Amino acid sequence: GLSTLIAGLFNRKSKIPGYTAPFIIVVWILLSSCYFLYPGLLITPSSIPASSEIDLFAAFCFNLGQVLFQDGSLITGIFFLIAILINSTLDTAYAFIGATLPLILALIIGTDYTSFNAGIYGYNAVLCGIALANRTKRGAIFAILSIFISIGLQITGMNLGLTTLTAPFVLSVWIVKLLQNALNRVHAYTKNSNFL
């Protein structure tokens, strides 16, 4: 109920889309309340067996599957990609990019293989790619920028011990949209100045 109210506020008051922000805000409020007031209600995370090596195929599939909290089967991520393909080839291309770029970046910077293989670094990137997908070169640059920002936010959040949820997706898309708006204003101002 609270997330519905927050979503309504975003729809009425915000100039940027709320995306999953209402969900994030409500879950963070509940987690904080439980942590400080009722710690016994918190569920301890189940331990995932530690991975000693990278599994690129698993990580790619789980980057897609984790978008809807589906991390139990490799095939689920493939089914998600096929479902996106049925809806839009453009969104499929961006989902593919969003699932692949975190693999490359995580390999370069080095990371926890267990989280990497479970798709924890990539699901926000997939959402960023789909949210900003368009057919322009400028749109592709902004989508890729958002993907990189989301990966950085996810790694930072995990290092701080935060439950990030889809906050890296929301924050990175907001940052990119604010940047787009600022560049559009500068472009419009420059165009009007040249006209005068």
Side-chain angles (χ1 to χ4, degrees), residues 47-51 114:
S47 58
I48 303 170
S51 300
T114 304

XYZ file of all heavy atoms in Angstrom, residues 47-51 114:
39
model
N 23.535 -19.121 2.584
C 24.907 -19.092 2.075
C 24.973 -19.795 0.730
O 24.482 -20.901 0.569
C 25.855 -19.757 3.071
O 25.459 -21.079 3.303
N 25.555 -19.096 -0.240
C 25.748 -19.667 -1.570
C 27.123 -20.303 -1.567
O 28.086 -19.699 -1.092
C 25.680 -18.565 -2.650
C 24.338 -17.822 -2.568
C 25.892 -19.123 -4.031
C 24.286 -16.572 -3.424
N 27.236 -21.527 -2.081
C 28.562 -22.141 -2.120
C 29.551 -21.247 -2.862
O 29.247 -20.721 -3.927
C 28.329 -23.451 -2.886
C 26.871 -23.704 -2.798
C 26.200 -22.374 -2.655
N 30.717 -21.052 -2.276
C 31.718 -20.162 -2.870
C 32.213 -20.720 -4.197
O 32.430 -21.920 -4.342
C 32.885 -19.986 -1.907
N 32.342 -19.824 -5.175
C 32.867 -20.204 -6.488
C 34.332 -19.838 -6.555
O 34.730 -18.745 -6.175
C 32.116 -19.465 -7.598
O 30.749 -19.766 -7.569
N 31.549 -15.677 -6.698
C 30.245 -16.199 -6.302
C 29.150 -15.226 -6.702
O 28.165 -15.615 -7.338
C 30.210 -16.456 -4.781
O 31.274 -17.340 -4.444
C 28.891 -17.079 -4.370
